[in-house]
Amino acid sequence: MTLTRVFLLTLLLAAPAQAEKLANKLFGAMAEPSNQDSMPIGSYAKGCAAGMVELPETGPTWQAMRLSRNRNYGQPEMVQFLMDLSGTARDIGFGRGLYIGDISQPRGGPMTSGHASHQIGLDADIWMLPPRRLDLSEAEREEISSIPVRSADQRSVTENWTRTHRELLKAAALDPRVDRIFVAAAVKIEMCKTAKRADKKWLQKIRPVAGHDTHFHVRLKCPKGARLCETQTPTVDDLSKGGDGCDETLMWWVTDYLNPPKSDGKKPREDDAPKKKGPREFTMADLPKQCKGVLASD
């Protein structure tokens, strides 16, 4: 057992009050997955993950990016999904496959920077940049950047958006393992322009979210038998009211979201709206109890 592991476990077992303030630090310090059966524990934005699998840094149709972050770990189902989708990407002409961004830390959990979700090994970011090379060095993977497919004013797609991007998102959404995919609102609006009735079931999985101009975010369903995994609600069907999501709720992202209606001038009292605790403020007490076992495992 390394000195780092000894120190972390000492915090957990001997000084719980102090350790609870460091949940993201504890998980961020773990260099390897736990020696346990794979299991997503808790919810996508409040949990951890046992028995994670590392996505190989390079494969025949993919490369993992930003290796210094050590976030190329996922549930076995996620790693297999990414391998499968990267092969599809190559086959449809999306460069040579996929550049894959953050999945999860080796044991999941809250991160010290970046994502609020990606905590249980069932989320992954995929770059919008079609790979020309799959032999990038570690240094090159730190320097290269993806491309924006959403305009600076957030209302439309750029010239970087192609039919192949649409086909890639469609292929991902058609996979039964996928629960939903987060994209920039402009991307969803563009996809809705050519939507057909037959597209409803997969297109409703494409969900608009801010901050996704250079990548899309795939979220898988809880795997069968994953009894500690919390399914996200509401479902995409509920969010879309049984449709494809090409409705007024989508247009909100390029209207009221960008230009919020003026308030009535009434300032709420501070105690009327208590501050919601963020992931980087989570204590171990905020996470499922099984997460202590994930940290303590060899």
Side-chain angles (χ1 to χ4, degrees), residues 235-258:
T235 67
V236 292
D237 191 56
D238 289 339
L239 288 169
S240 300
K241 300 177 183 178
D244 56 13
C246 301
D247 54 22
E248 69 280 357
T249 62
L250 172 60
M251 299 311 296
W252 175 87
W253 287 94
V254 292
T255 54
D256 287 358
Y257 173 73
L258 297 179

Side-chain angles (χ1 to χ4, degrees), residues 271-288:
D271 57 354
D272 286 342
K275 182 183 177 183
K276 185 178 180 181
K277 184 181 289 187
R280 280 180 283 283
E281 299 172 295
F282 287 165
T283 67
M284 290 304 296
D286 291 314
L287 302 180

Side-chain angles (χ1 to χ4, degrees), residues 122-139:
L122 295 175
D123 293 288
D125 289 342
I126 298 172
W127 284 21
M128 291 291 192
L129 176 66
R132 294 182 180 179
R133 295 171 48 197
L134 291 176
D135 61 351
L136 297 175
S137 68
E138 186 169 344

Side-chain angles (χ1 to χ4, degrees), residues 111-175:
M111 296 184 180
T112 55
S113 64
H115 316 282
S117 60
H118 291 253
Q119 294 192 30
I120 59 175
L122 295 175
D123 293 288
D125 289 342
I126 298 172
W127 284 21
M128 291 291 192
L129 176 66
R132 294 182 180 179
R133 295 171 48 197
L134 291 176
D135 61 351
L136 297 175
S137 68
E138 186 169 344
E140 287 174 314
R141 295 185 222 194
E142 299 293 329
E143 296 169 1
I144 191 174
S145 296
S146 187
I147 55 173
V149 296
R150 185 216 67 197
S151 62
D153 68 6
Q154 304 188 41
R155 299 178 188 278
S156 61
V157 293
T158 70
E159 68 277 3
N160 292 327
W161 174 259
T162 67
R163 179 177 176 81
T164 310
H165 284 88
R166 183 185 189 279
E167 292 305 306
L168 177 61
L169 283 165
K170 178 180 178 180
L174 281 169
D175 194 302

Side-chain angles (χ1 to χ4, degrees), residues 58-252:
T58 299
T61 52
W62 75 84
Q63 282 201 288
M65 310 302 284
R66 305 290 192 263
L67 297 177
S68 63
R69 297 180 181 178
N70 199 31
R71 295 177 179 178
N72 56 315
Y73 292 83
Q75 294 296 329
E77 293 82 2
M78 174 54 85
V79 171
Q80 187 60 57
F81 166 80
L82 292 170
M83 291 178 175
D84 294 344
L85 186 64
S86 68
T88 299
R90 177 197 59 192
D91 294 344
I92 66 175
F94 193 79
R96 300 187 62 185
L98 293 177
Y99 287 148
I100 298 169
D102 289 353
I103 311 173
S104 290
Q105 299 173 141
R107 305 191 187 200
M111 296 184 180
T112 55
S113 64
H115 316 282
S117 60
H118 291 253
Q119 294 192 30
I120 59 175
L122 295 175
D123 293 288
D125 289 342
I126 298 172
W127 284 21
M128 291 291 192
L129 176 66
R132 294 182 180 179
R133 295 171 48 197
L134 291 176
D135 61 351
L136 297 175
S137 68
E138 186 169 344
E140 287 174 314
R141 295 185 222 194
E142 299 293 329
E143 296 169 1
I144 191 174
S145 296
S146 187
I147 55 173
V149 296
R150 185 216 67 197
S151 62
D153 68 6
Q154 304 188 41
R155 299 178 188 278
S156 61
V157 293
T158 70
E159 68 277 3
N160 292 327
W161 174 259
T162 67
R163 179 177 176 81
T164 310
H165 284 88
R166 183 185 189 279
E167 292 305 306
L168 177 61
L169 283 165
K170 178 180 178 180
L174 281 169
D175 194 302
R177 292 170 289 190
V178 172
D179 181 69
R180 63 196 72 196
I181 299 172
F182 301 115
V183 300
V187 167
K188 172 85 177 194
I189 291 170
E190 186 68 22
M191 296 179 78
C192 287
K193 291 179 181 179
T194 56
K196 299 176 182 178
R197 184 175 298 178
D199 297 330
K200 180 181 73 173
K201 284 297 183 182
W202 68 264
L203 190 54
Q204 68 177 203
K205 290 185 180 181
I206 309 294
R207 306 301 308 168
V209 174
H212 288 69
D213 58 326
T214 61
H215 71 276
F216 63 96
H217 174 163
V218 177
R219 174 164 293 168
L220 299 191
K221 300 173 183 175
C222 290
K224 185 177 180 180
R227 58 184 177 80
L228 299 178
C229 181
E230 297 179 18
T231 301
Q232 184 171 355
T233 56
T235 67
V236 292
D237 191 56
D238 289 339
L239 288 169
S240 300
K241 300 177 183 178
D244 56 13
C246 301
D247 54 22
E248 69 280 357
T249 62
L250 172 60
M251 299 311 296
W252 175 87

Side-chain angles (χ1 to χ4, degrees), residues 27 41-49 107-110 119-120 282 287-288 291:
F27 282 100
I41 301 169
S43 67
Y44 300 92
K46 186 181 287 187
C48 61
R107 305 191 187 200
Q119 294 192 30
I120 59 175
F282 287 165
L287 302 180
C291 290

